Amino acid sequence: MKVLVINSGSSSLKAQLMDTVSGDVFCSAYCERIGQANSFMTYKTNEKHVIEVSMPTHKEAFKEFLSAMTDKKIGVIGSLDEIGAIGHRLVNFGEKYNKSVVVTPKILEDLKKNIKFAPLHNPAAILGLQACIELMPKVKNVAVFDTAFHSTMEEKAYIYAIPYEFYENNKIRRYGAHGTSHRYIAMQCEKIFGTLKGKKIISCHIGSGSSICAIKDGKSVDTSMGYTPLAGVVMGTRSGDIDPAIVKEIMDIKNCSVDEAINILNKKSGLIGLTGYSDMRDIESNIDKKVVKLAFDVMVYSIKKYIGAYAAAMNGVDAIVFTAGIGEKDELVREAVCKDMEYLGLEFDSEKNIKLHKPFDNIVELTKPTSKVKVYRIPTNEEYMIALDTADLAK
């Protein structure tokens, strides 16, 4: 089945047309500056086309992508009728959405009522859904939730030690994120080991947003992100775990509201807060500066602590996996995270790691043959997982 995969941002829309049997991507698009001046779409097949066009809303952005796909010169399909279904990446709409669902008018209205669970992401996801429904009303839309994979966590892992009424009445708990990516990593590890039964894997999704996931017997047992994607390890612009009382201190220092303080933790903290840089390439280009080196060490240390915690929680670990933008491509981060882990029985192969350059589309083991704990670089493919769920539900 040919499936459209959509990932809507506040001012952007990413899309791919995929074949769920082969996994081939026919085309992709990245629409930027939606609702702003100078909006444009980068459309890719075998070639890249940059199309400058007015996109006041996500509806116009999606319309441009549909037009490009069916264009006689740069298109990849003869008719929109070839598209079997549309899958959408949704971050978090609460614990009742613990699996992918076909979006009906009733579900769409309910999703609108649960935007609070990921206020930075969910409004855009709703806009993307509405645009697709309006422009292709006969095609099924499927919502695939980042949190679904983590629905197997036990209560002891997802309950916060705050008055229990906040969970009972308001569903404040750990939800996690990047579940579609971690689920893909589990699927790839099953191919490596032959089975996931008895296997303990720590999946490190390290990118501009990062999360660590403890996977036991193929199921998520714990993850670093929490009620929102702000919690966990140090990220590009997010603080990760901090003392909650710091929010009040920021409010007093900046004379700002709670929302403004949270915005600082979400968008002006992490690596960019410490150094002014959010991109790991900029961090490593300026690593000779004391504060930049400190930021690098702080981020790496936060990842190492989660790996140690999850090894303890699972009573061991069989494999540590690096994935996502930084995890897949940054040899310095992988090296630093895996340093001084001999206590786990981990024998890291630095030479193999440093030589790991393009292409980045293959699975590579980064440990020596005698290593008890294996380390892998596995490229993630969240879009493929979304497409598979979508095709399954749209039959």
Side-chain angles (χ1 to χ4, degrees):
M1 180 185 289
K2 292 176 182 176
V3 172
L4 272 181
V5 177
I6 304 293
N7 186 349
S8 300
S10 58
S11 61
S12 67
L13 185 145
K14 295 180 182 179
Q16 288 187 2
L17 179 63
M18 302 185 71
D19 186 313
T20 55
V21 177
S22 65
D24 291 340
V25 177
F26 298 106
C27 66
S28 65
Y30 185 21
C31 301
E32 301 181 64
R33 299 179 182 272
I34 297 173
Q36 304 173 25
N38 304 318
S39 57
F40 64 96
M41 177 177 72
T42 303
Y43 174 78
K44 294 181 180 179
T45 52
N46 293 327
E47 299 177 343
K48 182 170 77 171
H49 306 270
V50 178
I51 303 169
E52 296 183 5
V53 60
S54 175
M55 294 183 283
T57 71
H58 286 70
K59 179 181 177 181
E60 286 80 15
F62 186 57
K63 193 173 183 179
E64 286 300 325
F65 180 47
L66 297 181
S67 178
M69 280 194 299
T70 53
D71 185 86
K72 290 183 178 180
K73 292 184 178 179
I74 62 174
V76 294
I77 54 175
S79 165
L80 295 180
D81 293 337
E82 294 181 37
I83 298 172
I86 306 173
H88 297 258
R89 180 214 174 200
L90 276 67
V91 175
N92 180 10
F93 283 83
E95 67 178 6
K96 72 177 178 179
Y97 290 105
N98 58 10
K99 61 182 179 180
S100 301
V101 296
V102 175
V103 179
T104 63
K106 183 178 179 181
I107 285 180
L108 180 60
E109 289 306 307
D110 189 56
L111 292 175
K112 291 177 181 179
K113 296 175 184 177
N114 289 283
I115 283 175
K116 67 176 183 177
F117 289 103
L120 296 177
H121 300 85
N122 288 351
I126 295 293
L127 290 173
L129 266 169
Q130 290 175 323
C132 293
I133 291 169
E134 188 172 343
L135 291 171
M136 298 183 69
K138 296 181 180 179
V139 178
K140 286 185 179 179
N141 286 265
V142 174
V144 180
F145 301 93
D146 268 7
T147 52
F149 183 62
H150 304 304
S151 64
T152 53
M153 290 190 293
E154 295 182 16
E155 285 183 302
K156 64 183 180 183
Y158 69 71
I159 289 292
Y160 288 119
I162 57 178
Y164 194 66
E165 65 188 75
F166 289 124
Y167 170 66
E168 289 184 304
N169 301 330
N170 308 99
K171 301 305 176 186
I172 296 177
R173 49 159 286 183
R174 180 182 303 279
Y175 288 100
H178 297 139
T180 310
S181 175
H182 293 303
R183 180 159 63 103
Y184 180 80
I185 295 304
M187 185 175 75
Q188 297 306 303
C189 285
E190 185 173 24
K191 294 178 182 177
I192 293 171
F193 291 113
T195 180
L196 290 177
K197 186 176 181 180
K199 297 300 179 183
K200 302 163 186 177
I201 299 157
I202 299 175
S203 174
C204 302
H205 179 110
I206 311 298
S208 57
S210 303
S211 68
I212 317 299
C213 181
I215 303 170
K216 188 175 182 180
D217 298 323
K219 297 179 179 179
S220 173
V221 296
D222 207 345
T223 190
S224 59
M225 284 183 168
Y227 179 64
T228 74
L230 178 57
V233 300
V234 173
M235 299 172 240
T237 66
R238 298 178 191 141
S239 65
D241 295 336
I242 63 165
D243 182 339
I246 292 175
V247 176
K248 176 64 165 57
E249 288 296 314
I250 291 174
M251 292 171 63
D252 290 344
I253 293 167
K254 292 289 188 179
N255 189 28
C256 65
S257 66
V258 172
D259 287 344
E260 289 170 323
I262 296 298
N263 186 63
I264 289 172
L265 295 176
N266 264 308
K267 297 184 177 181
K268 300 179 181 179
S269 298
L271 295 177
I272 202 169
L274 291 172
T275 68
Y277 307 119
S278 63
D279 192 300
M280 187 54 61
R281 290 167 293 190
D282 293 326
I283 294 291
E284 292 174 1
S285 296
N286 293 275
I287 202 75
D288 56 325
K289 298 177 182 178
K290 184 178 179 180
V291 70
V292 176
K293 177 61 165 62
L294 174 62
F296 179 87
D297 291 343
V298 168
M299 184 197 76
V300 166
Y301 186 59
S302 69
I303 298 169
K304 288 175 74 79
K305 286 197 294 183
Y306 267 99
I307 290 174
Y310 289 161
M314 294 191 293
N315 190 26
V317 57
D318 294 295
I320 298 169
V321 177
F322 289 93
T323 194
I326 295 172
E328 293 172 23
K329 300 177 182 178
D330 198 301
E331 66 271 13
L332 296 183
V333 171
R334 293 192 300 262
E335 176 92 26
V337 170
C338 293
K339 185 179 180 181
D340 299 327
M341 284 197 179
E342 292 81 5
Y343 73 96
L344 282 177
L346 192 160
E347 298 179 61
F348 194 67
D349 193 326
S350 298
E351 185 176 352
K352 186 181 291 185
N353 177 61
I354 206 73
K355 291 180 178 179
L356 182 57
H357 297 298
K358 292 183 179 180
F360 293 113
D361 59 353
N362 56 332
I363 296 173
V364 180
E365 182 184 339
L366 298 172
T367 37
K368 297 177 181 178
T370 52
S371 183
K372 294 179 180 179
V373 175
K374 302 298 182 181
V375 174
Y376 296 97
R377 191 287 306 272
I378 301 179
T380 192
N381 196 336
E382 296 168 273
E383 292 81 10
Y384 182 58
M385 299 304 289
I386 293 170
L388 286 180
D389 278 12
T390 301
D392 185 55
L393 288 174
K395 289 178 181 177

